[in-house]
Amino acid sequence: VLAQESAAGEEEDSDEAKLARLGPKEQLLVVSCWLTLKEVGLCVGTCIQGTPLDSDKYLTRTQLIVCGNLLLDIIFSTLHNGAIEKARLGFQKVCEKLLRCPRRDLRGLPAEWLERLLERLFAHDVPVVRRSSQLSFSVLAILDAEVPNTHRALLERAMLFLLAVAKGQTPPAGPVLEGESQVQPADAKDDGVRLRAQVHALNILRH
């Protein structure tokens, strides 16, 4: 009889009780968020990598920009190394697909993302802790995505910019992005901004 009652009690064990045995609700929520972000980052990159981009039949240019910006948002807003790494891999997959796309308007998207990332060296909202991992992962994802055994234009652009900033010099001007004016961050008089940018540049070059 006792065995039957025990079995019945186990069957009636609610989902909430099962979750309670795994740990506090707050901890489970945080872990679930990290795991979801990790899978989202890799899933977005894998989906785009397997999607034909010869036309707007499956994905438009605007949708691709949204996907790339989503992965960058995950990288810059997340403090979990696993989530950042998966988003970085997903972002690299996106850039690899775009840089090999026959459409010129799509091939230029990684270059636009690179310019905005280089400008963020002078931003106040990017921490220098953990070797500027957010900027480093993002920039290197684009550079690693370039076609091998060809002229690495994005690598050349990034190296010239980063070396100039690391030396405290004015970085070479890049192309004016659509809807934006030419930015001259190195002309800022704030020594703290320049110093922070130098640290970012050195951290990225170390990677």
Side-chain angles (χ1 to χ4, degrees):
V1 176
L2 293 176
Q4 292 177 351
E5 291 180 353
S6 177
E10 291 179 358
E11 292 178 358
E12 295 175 357
D13 197 3
S14 64
D15 292 338
E16 186 175 351
K18 294 177 182 178
L19 290 175
R21 288 197 296 269
L22 295 176
K25 290 184 178 180
E26 295 80 4
Q27 182 179 354
L28 290 175
L29 178 61
V30 172
V31 172
S32 298
C33 288
W34 296 143
L35 293 175
T36 302
L37 284 174
K38 287 173 63 176
E39 296 306 319
V40 167
L42 199 56
C43 180
V44 171
T46 302
C47 289
I48 292 179
Q49 193 175 45
T51 302
L53 299 179
D54 298 338
S55 65
D56 290 340
K57 180 178 180 180
Y58 299 104
L59 288 171
T60 65
R61 186 176 188 273
T62 300
Q63 290 173 325
L64 290 168
I65 293 175
V66 170
C67 291
N69 290 339
L70 170 64
L71 295 173
L72 289 174
D73 286 342
I74 293 176
I75 293 174
F76 279 91
S77 63
T78 306
L79 299 178
H80 188 276
N81 288 333
I84 293 176
E85 177 60 24
K86 293 297 184 182
R88 185 256 190 202
L89 291 174
F91 187 57
Q92 182 175 334
K93 289 177 181 290
V94 173
C95 292
E96 286 176 353
K97 183 70 174 183
L98 293 174
L99 289 171
R100 291 158 179 77
C101 179
R103 294 174 53 185
R104 182 179 298 180
D105 60 329
L106 298 184
R107 287 202 308 271
L109 287 179
E112 293 183 15
W113 284 322
L114 178 62
E115 289 301 321
R116 291 189 170 92
L117 289 170
L118 294 177
E119 290 176 6
R120 292 198 71 173
L121 267 70
F122 299 87
H124 292 275
D125 60 340
V126 181
V128 297
V129 297
R130 302 167 75 179
R131 298 182 182 179
S132 308
S133 59
Q134 297 161 321
L135 276 172
S136 299
F137 279 134
S138 303
V139 171
L140 293 179
I142 298 175
L143 302 184
D144 289 341
E146 281 195 286
V147 182
N149 302 321
T150 61
H151 175 59
R152 306 283 294 274
L154 298 182
L155 175 61
E156 180 181 357
R157 166 62 180 160
M159 289 300 296
L160 291 174
F161 191 99
L162 293 171
L163 288 172
V165 174
K167 296 176 182 178
Q169 301 172 354
T170 301
V176 179
L177 302 180
E178 184 178 354
E180 297 183 6
S181 58
Q182 182 64 59
V183 178
Q184 295 291 343
D187 292 337
K189 297 181 180 180
D190 189 346
D191 292 336
V193 173
R194 291 192 179 189
L195 179 59
R196 188 183 302 110
Q198 283 182 284
V199 174
H200 283 316
L202 290 170
N203 284 335
I204 296 173
L205 289 170
R206 287 180 62 184
H207 279 74

